[in-house]
Amino acid sequence: MIAVKSYISGGYVPETDRLSVHAQGVYFLNQPTTEASPTISLPRMHMRFIPTVAAVVLLTTGMASGSDWPQWRGPNRDGVSTETGLLKEWPKDGPKLVWKIKIDGVGYSSPAIVGTNLFVSAAKDDTGGKGEFVLCLNVKDGSEVWKTEVPDNDKGYLTAWGSGPRSTPTVDGDCVYSLSARGELVCLNIKDGSKVWGVSLTKDFGGGIPGWGYSESVLIDGDKLICTPGGGKGTMLALDKKTGQKIWQSADPADKESKDSVKDGAAYSSIIAADIGSVRQYITQTSSAAIGVKASDGKLLWRVAELKRGVPAVAPTPIVEGNHAFFACGYGAGCELFKLDSKDGTTKATTEYTKNSALQNIHAGFVRIGDYIYGFTDNGGKWVCYEYKKGGEDFVWESKALGRGSVMCADGHFYCFAEDPKKGTVVLAEANPKGWKEKGRFELPEKSSIPRRSGMIWTHPVVANGRLYLRDHELLFCYDVAGK
């Protein structure tokens, strides 16, 4: 059960309820996609008229609109929202709190939001990580829609940094996909949470649980689900998203010396899909290298192991723009940039720079806006703006106005969520290469009462349909950030 405390004023309507309705139909903001990647949106948006019947179907299924946040780091997995019309400056005490709830469980999963549904995962047992489940809430008031336990959840997963799932659910069509800390992957019906299919990355595909538990958020690309079991049977795995049947795994069991195989152990980074020239590929960083595998068959296209990834955790999601791929790690490892060139169905990775100490990030992530990457670096403990294609050790600007934290961007502003659990500070700052310019800050009105051990506030902030969602373990907050 969920304890719900509502702060709804009745004056705000989610973006999905504010579509322009006419007698013949509605106008729906649609992000164009390619046939090969219907869930990967492109920057350019256009307005399309949809007959009323079709519009009703869209609004009652899991199809994401331009302001939804259907997966880890948003529509394009880059931490950037396409939403506009948000507050440019916050009141002194922060934006209006719409509701807050206490989830019957703990974890670091960020919310995924499509239409009026919010999906998040948690574990009932805060001392042993047992009882993992996926939860669907109504975004209007935080009330529970359904709750489904994941398979094999009686074993749990616990480290010194806390218990509970780390992965963010992925919503696609009528289904939501969720990965547990122990590698139990489920596909659930978004309407009632009923199980469509389920597999185990360890039992079914020879995966090895990384030290802090499986933490990646699975990718849906066309008809495929892509994830990272890691290990001797193949680092990366493609499943049929409708059935859970294996399409390929990135190792050839009949050829142990195959150059097309990759058997690195899983890390904590989530996969990015990219078209480099005419070659569609899946890019990630494993426990030991940056890699790209061919989308059609899982064969290794390129692998570079120059950056020292033998650190406690390799987590930040790669940033891919054009034919450049940027990677970063924490614990002193640093960052690197590759230029990718494809020809005759293959891809070559050329190192632009590596072992660069400028950007060091454990798992708070970075955001790219134009030619600049923004976020918190452990190199000096500061928020920075970095001209990433230029490289070097210098920053465009730097600020110590806020401690280490995660970041996302919406409507030209950064939403920065500091990890310090004593304060739970949230800051709104302009996305501007000219300098750090705050437009508001506040602290969470309540902090988690569950023993954190060595963990902190590590769930990333989410903005969807005019609302800001923040999580501190069992506490979930919803704020109104829509401009008036």
Side-chain angles (χ1 to χ4, degrees):
M1 296 296 293
I2 298 176
V4 180
K5 186 172 183 180
S6 177
Y7 290 83
I8 296 178
S9 64
Y12 173 74
V13 180
E15 182 72 20
T16 48
D17 294 337
R18 286 191 269 124
L19 297 175
S20 180
V21 182
H22 297 271
Q24 293 80 25
V26 303
Y27 286 100
F28 189 85
L29 270 177
N30 181 54
Q31 291 176 288
T33 57
T34 64
E35 183 177 351
S37 57
T39 61
I40 305 299
S41 57
L42 301 176
R44 184 179 301 149
M45 300 181 70
H46 61 87
M47 194 72 77
R48 185 175 64 172
F49 185 75
I50 301 175
T52 303
V53 174
V56 171
V57 172
L58 284 171
L59 296 177
T60 55
T61 66
M63 181 171 287
S65 75
S67 298
D68 285 333
W69 196 265
Q71 59 177 334
W72 166 245
R73 305 200 80 217
N76 296 311
R77 296 199 150 204
D78 57 3
V80 179
S81 169
T82 59
E83 190 164 357
T84 57
L86 303 177
L87 290 172
K88 305 298 184 184
E89 190 166 356
W90 288 344
K92 181 180 178 181
D93 297 327
K96 183 176 182 178
L97 179 62
V98 181
W99 53 257
K100 68 175 180 179
I101 65 168
K102 185 175 182 180
I103 300 172
D104 186 22
V106 298
Y108 297 109
S109 165
S110 297
I113 295 146
V114 172
T116 59
N117 290 328
L118 179 154
F119 304 90
V120 71
S121 56
K124 293 180 181 178
D125 178 16
D126 64 277
T127 61
K130 297 180 181 179
E132 285 197 33
F133 59 88
V134 181
L135 184 66
C136 177
L137 305 174
N138 188 318
V139 298
K140 294 182 179 180
D141 57 11
S143 59
E144 181 178 313
V145 178
W146 53 256
K147 175 181 176 181
T148 300
E149 294 187 354
V150 303
D152 201 28
N153 68 356
D154 58 326
K155 295 180 180 179
Y157 201 85
L158 173 70
T159 70
W161 278 258
S163 62
R166 290 89 161 115
S167 304
T168 295
T170 301
V171 185
D172 178 74
D174 292 328
C175 294
V176 55
Y177 303 84
S178 185
L179 178 65
S180 78
R182 296 187 62 84
E184 298 297 321
L185 173 59
V186 293
C187 170
L188 306 175
N189 188 299
I190 65 167
K191 294 180 181 179
D192 57 13
S194 58
K195 181 180 175 181
V196 179
W197 56 261
V199 297
S200 168
L201 298 192
T202 57
K203 298 174 184 176
D204 299 325
F205 304 106
I209 303 175
W212 313 128
Y214 278 110
S215 302
E216 74 165 325
S217 301
V218 301
L219 170 70
I220 300 296
D221 184 38
D223 293 329
K224 296 193 291 290
L225 179 150
I226 313 299
C227 58
T228 315
K233 291 187 177 181
T235 299
M236 205 176 290
L237 171 70
L239 303 176
D240 185 313
K241 72 176 184 181
K242 296 179 180 178
T243 65
Q245 295 297 309
K246 185 173 80 170
I247 298 174
W248 52 252
Q249 194 164 358
S250 59
D252 183 357
D255 185 359
K256 296 183 179 180
E257 303 300 324
S258 174
K259 294 182 179 180
D260 294 330
S261 296
V262 56
K263 303 176 183 178
D264 295 352
Y268 310 93
S269 181
S270 293
I271 300 165
I272 293 291
D275 293 306
I276 307 299
S278 61
V279 182
R280 188 160 185 80
Q281 53 196 274
Y282 302 129
I283 298 172
T284 192
Q285 50 181 342
T286 69
S287 60
S288 53
I291 66 169
V293 307
K294 201 168 186 177
S296 59
D297 56 16
K299 292 183 177 180
L300 182 65
L301 289 167
W302 57 272
R303 179 180 184 274
V304 183
E306 294 184 30
L307 198 67
K308 185 179 179 181
R309 288 182 169 83
V311 296
V314 178
T317 302
I319 293 175
V320 181
E321 190 272 326
N323 65 337
H324 284 88
F326 174 87
F327 300 83
C329 299
Y331 305 99
C335 61
E336 60 187 3
L337 180 72
F338 303 121
K339 182 180 179 182
L340 307 177
D341 295 292
S342 295
K343 183 179 180 181
D344 299 327
T346 63
T347 300
K348 178 183 178 182
T350 302
T351 301
E352 300 281 282
Y353 58 80
T354 188
K355 300 176 183 177
N356 183 323
S357 63
L359 297 186
Q360 301 175 36
N361 189 287
I362 298 175
H363 46 59
F366 292 110
V367 169
R368 181 194 67 84
I369 305 293
D371 295 330
Y372 306 97
I373 287 178
Y374 302 83
F376 185 89
T377 178
D378 289 324
N379 177 12
K382 54 200 173 187
W383 290 80
V384 300
C385 170
Y386 182 68
E387 193 171 357
Y388 77 105
K389 289 183 181 178
K390 179 180 177 182
E393 303 291 330
D394 296 327
F395 301 112
V396 178
W397 59 253
E398 56 189 73
S399 173
K400 291 193 175 185
L402 184 68
R404 181 192 287 129
S406 53
V407 61
M408 61 85 60
C409 183
D411 200 13
H413 288 75
F414 295 122
Y415 292 74
C416 309
F417 194 13
E419 69 173 19
D420 183 355
K422 295 180 180 179
K423 296 183 178 180
T425 305
V426 188
V427 168
L428 181 72
E430 285 188 0
N432 193 328
K434 294 182 180 180
W436 171 276
K437 186 175 182 181
E438 277 191 36
K439 304 305 288 288
R441 74 162 57 198
F442 69 96
E443 295 182 4
L444 295 181
E446 184 179 352
K447 315 301 188 296
S448 173
S449 61
I450 293 174
R452 298 179 185 275
R453 301 176 178 83
S454 299
M456 297 190 182
I457 300 176
W458 288 333
T459 300
H460 287 216
V462 167
V463 172
N465 303 313
R467 292 183 175 181
L468 167 64
Y469 298 89
L470 303 168
R471 181 181 182 182
D472 179 14
H473 267 317
E474 82 279 18
L475 300 176
L476 183 61
F477 304 85
C478 174
Y479 290 87
D480 183 355
V481 292
K484 303 301 182 184

